[in-house]
């Protein structure tokens, strides 16, 4: 067996997947980049090709004060949802270790039930919880002595974003909690016992044994949550009846409105591209970590 | 002493979390069984006192239900079968073979997973409309395959890596050819992983909303999530039937999901703790 002989098998095996990814993801990425340098509106759609305008789309985006507001809002919203879901998830997972097995199993079941909820189902249910008419939350608030009948929670953007973020975090929490709990149970018991015999207190055990072993899991979960939460679209879109007002724009909604609402596809593409680069910057570490695993 | 107080705190927090996390689901199911008068009440009761199937009847007889169900089944079926087939080949190459460019391939698989879907909507829409695939289920299936594929390849690779190579090597020593070794030794061992991954792909395709929303415009092409979004119109929302429809949409996912959730959770973390 000559190890230097060219072996076609691996390439044949990955070819179909490369073809699918190239056509449906690779080409659109290329197209997104080229679109971002073009003026591409209704006239250009009919003509079938855009007009090259250099960096105009980026220039206009970066000089638009609206853009910076939206970027800041998106980052804040993402940061809020990621930190709340990771902190609550981690806290719950660590408590689960000490819980009565019965309570733990019920909690596990509830988490799996929530995890399984399709996105559109969870959005629908949350809209019902906070609906304008006859919502249970309004009734509960009323029963505490407030007068809130027919309160529209989305007139105030803060309460609107809290509800939307709550719905996103509710949907994300099960995955985070169960993943951390699963990782916690994989920490070898004898390692902890050995440390305890050597006189380590619970805090030292946590800091020197449990935390280092869980660190990769936390990094993966934080990165994934960031990717997911940064591009939240459907929640905002549907909570606000498919026509969110400008105060509710996040990057994803902004790019969508620019292209499908105003037919300025070039500008929408530029915004999308900025979004992708922002995400790659934030989650670069995750990628490197995963690549190391792929090498094994 | 310390131990019991911390476990009491854990248990109380656990019960609190059960109530808080479970309430939306509970409220969905109980609302779906309430008669109209109980739903449209300014004094909703936490525990239902009457029971009615009228919301379910209304949801199922609502325009487009059977069509949406059919469309979703078609989309899910083809997405799962094709993506699993394609990914199985690729995962064998990644997990079992050494080849030039593997690093780049793995990197691109992972990079693609990080692509925000909403950022690619514009070129995807333009591409598919050029290929005459907008407003066609085939176009949706094609995009779903591409978006699910990286995860499926990565997960299958995870399952494969955990099967010791010695088993195949033993088969090779016993005179099997490599394809035979894969077919007779590797695939049977992989079966649970394949099933779990298939279910995961099923759930993704069944739940997806955004791409279908952009790509499908006519009503008779709607999938289940699109149909659900259609309960709200300019006159408001019919909450009872919507909760019934939501419950119906969630049931298949809950059933399948409960079968595989332990595999998915450990799948995410297993490699990480080990690596």
């Amino acid at each position: 067996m000559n190890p230097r002989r060219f072996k076609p098998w691996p390439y044949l095996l990955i070819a179909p997947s490369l073809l699918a990814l190239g056509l449906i993801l690779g080409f659109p990425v290329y197209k997104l980049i080229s679109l971002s340098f073009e003026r591409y509106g209704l006239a250009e759609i009919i003509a079938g090709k855009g007009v090259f305008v250099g960096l105009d789309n980026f220039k206009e985006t970066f000089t638009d004060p609206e853009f910076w507001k939206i970027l800041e809002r998106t980052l804040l919203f993402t940061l809020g949802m990621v930190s709340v879901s990771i902190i609550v998830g981690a806290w719950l997972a660590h408590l689960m270790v000490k819980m009565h097995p019965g309570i733990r199993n019920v909690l596990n079941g509830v988490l799996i039930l929530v995890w399984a909820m399709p996105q559109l189902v969870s959005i629908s249910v949350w809209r019902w919880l906070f609906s304008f008419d006859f919502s249970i939350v309004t009734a509960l608030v009323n029963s505490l002595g407030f007068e809130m009948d027919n309160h529209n929670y989305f007139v105030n953007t803060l309460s609107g974003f809290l509800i939307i973020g709550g719905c996103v975090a509710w949907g994300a929490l099960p995955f985070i909690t169960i993943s951390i709990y699963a990782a916690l149970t994989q920490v070898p018991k004898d390692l902890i016992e050995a440390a305890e015999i050597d006189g380590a207190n619970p805090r030292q055990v946590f800091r020197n044994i449990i935390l280092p072993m869980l660190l990769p899991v936390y990094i993966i979960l934080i990165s994934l949550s960031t990717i997911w939460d940064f591009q939240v679209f459907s929640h905002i879109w549907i909570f606000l009846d498919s026509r969110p007002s400008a105060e509710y724009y996040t990057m994803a909604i902004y790019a969508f409105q620019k292209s499908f609402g105003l037919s300025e596809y070039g500008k929408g593409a530029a915004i999308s591209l900025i979004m992708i680069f922002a995400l790659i910057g934030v989650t670069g570490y995750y990628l490197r970590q995963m690549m190391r695993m792929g090498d094994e | 002493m310390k131990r019991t107080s911390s476990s009491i705190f854990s248990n109380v927090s656990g019960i609190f979390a059960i109530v808080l996390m479970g309430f939306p689901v509970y409220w969905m199911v109980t609302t779906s069984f309430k008669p109209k008068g109980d739903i449209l009440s300014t004094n909703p009761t936490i525990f239902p006192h009457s029971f009615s199937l009228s919301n379910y009847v209304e949801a199922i007889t609502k325009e487009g239900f059977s069509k949406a169900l059919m469309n979703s089944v078609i989309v899910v079926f083809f997405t799962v079968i094709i993506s699993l087939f394609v990914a199985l080949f690729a995962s064998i190459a990644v997990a079992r073979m050494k080849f030039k460019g593997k690093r780049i391939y793995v990197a691109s698989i992972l990079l693609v997973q990080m692509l925000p879907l909403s950022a690619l909507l514009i070129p995807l829409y333009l591409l598919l409309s050029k290929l005459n695939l907008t407003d066609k289920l085939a176009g949706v299936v094609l995009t779903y395959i591409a978006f699910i594929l990286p995860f499926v390849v990565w997960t299958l690779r995870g399952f494969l890596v955990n099967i010791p190579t010695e088993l195949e090597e033993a088969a090779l020593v016993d005179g099997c050819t490599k394809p035979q070794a894969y077919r007779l030794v590797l695939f049977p061992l992989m079966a649970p992983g394949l099933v779990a991954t298939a279910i995961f792909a099923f759930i993704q395709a069944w739940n997806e909303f955004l791409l279908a929303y952009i790509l499908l415009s006519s009503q008779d092409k709607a999938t289940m999530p699109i149909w659900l979004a259609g309960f709200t119109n300019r006159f408001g929302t019919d909450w009872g039937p919507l909760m019934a429809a939501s419950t119906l949409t969630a049931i298949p996912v809950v059933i399948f999901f409960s079968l595989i959730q332990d595999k998915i959770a450990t799948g995410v973390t297993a490699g990480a703790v080990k690596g």
Side-chain angles (χ1 to χ4, degrees), chain A residues 11 17 100 283 293 295, chain B residues 11 21 100 103 105 114 157:
Chain A
Y11 300 99
S17 63
H100 185 271
T283 50
M293 283 167 64
D295 275 347
Chain B
N11 291 336
M21 290 298 285
K100 228 180 169 164
R103 242 183 106 87
Y105 178 76
M114 288 176 54
R157 171 209 157 270

Side-chain angles (χ1 to χ4, degrees), chain B residues 191-208:
Chain B
L194 272 174
V195 171
T197 317
I199 291 177
F200 189 83
F202 160 88
I203 294 171
Q204 294 291 310
W206 177 263
N207 289 356
E208 207 285 330

Side-chain angles (χ1 to χ4, degrees), chain B residues 14 18-19 40 98 103-104 115 118 122 181 196-197 228 245 248 269:
Chain B
I18 289 167
V19 172
L40 302 181
K98 279 201 168 74
R103 242 183 106 87
I104 299 172
L115 279 177
S118 49
I122 302 159
T197 317
L228 271 186
L248 289 178
T269 53

Side-chain angles (χ1 to χ4, degrees), chain B residues 77-169:
Chain B
F77 178 79
F78 285 105
T79 304
V80 170
I81 295 291
I82 299 172
S83 60
L84 219 60
F85 216 67
V86 171
L88 180 60
F89 291 141
S91 64
I92 289 176
V94 173
R96 284 293 194 260
M97 299 173 180
K98 279 201 168 74
F99 58 95
K100 228 180 169 164
K102 179 166 151 182
R103 242 183 106 87
I104 299 172
Y105 178 76
V106 170
S108 56
I109 285 271
L110 295 169
L111 193 70
V112 152
Q113 271 184 293
M114 288 176 54
L115 279 177
L117 170 66
S118 49
L120 284 187
L121 285 177
I122 302 159
L124 262 179
Y125 179 81
L126 296 175
L127 170 72
L128 287 172
S129 71
K130 206 165 262 177
L131 294 173
N132 230 339
L133 282 172
T134 43
D135 207 19
K136 294 211 171 69
L137 294 182
V140 174
V141 170
L142 207 58
T143 51
Y144 283 7
I145 290 171
F147 276 99
I148 291 174
L149 208 50
F151 182 87
V152 177
V153 172
W154 191 245
T155 319
L156 286 181
R157 171 209 157 270
F159 286 120
L160 269 172
V161 168
N162 284 330
I163 300 172
T165 43
E166 286 81 6
L167 292 172
E168 292 148 66
E169 280 157 11

